Amino acid sequence: MAAATRAEVLRLYRALLKESGKFASYGYRSYALRRIRDAFRENKNVKDSAQIETLMNNAKTNLEMIRRQVTIGQLYTTQKLVIECPEKL
């Protein structure tokens, strides 16, 4: 299998960020966004095509998991936290 191109990696990164931003819960949303950014930064200098392919497959699996969790989270909504509510002066 050919190594993933830069465009494919960026497309996957953006998809992960977009889906994670859909979490209804502030805690889950901020954690997921932070973990995605940290994981991509940690692996930005990987050159081995086999390792890149493994990382891409893991990220695709995580994307599907995030999509499922967002859907489940939307079924059971809760009140927003104080930190999420805009202040009314």
Side-chain angles (χ1 to χ4, degrees):
M1 198 178 278
T5 64
R6 177 176 165 80
E8 290 171 337
V9 173
L10 289 174
R11 192 175 309 119
L12 182 58
Y13 177 69
R14 287 186 195 111
L16 283 162
L17 291 178
K18 182 178 179 181
E19 287 300 317
S20 294
K22 294 179 182 178
F23 273 115
S25 170
Y26 173 79
Y28 288 125
R29 187 172 55 245
S30 61
Y31 175 76
L33 292 170
R34 185 174 61 247
R35 283 293 301 135
I36 291 165
R37 289 185 186 115
D38 290 347
F40 273 80
R41 280 187 198 124
E42 180 181 318
N43 295 306
K44 72 179 182 178
N45 295 320
V46 174
K47 302 291 185 209
D48 181 33
S49 61
Q51 189 176 5
I52 292 172
E53 205 59 41
T54 302
L55 291 167
M56 287 288 291
N57 289 334
N58 288 343
K60 288 175 185 175
T61 302
N62 288 336
L63 177 60
E64 292 305 315
M65 181 187 59
I66 289 170
R67 285 182 176 148
R68 285 191 303 271
Q69 290 303 117
V70 165
T71 302
I72 291 170
Q74 289 171 348
L75 295 174
Y76 305 100
T77 58
T78 60
Q79 289 183 330
K80 291 190 176 231
L81 299 174
V82 174
I83 195 167
E84 296 177 278
C85 297
E87 279 190 47
K88 295 179 182 175
L89 300 173

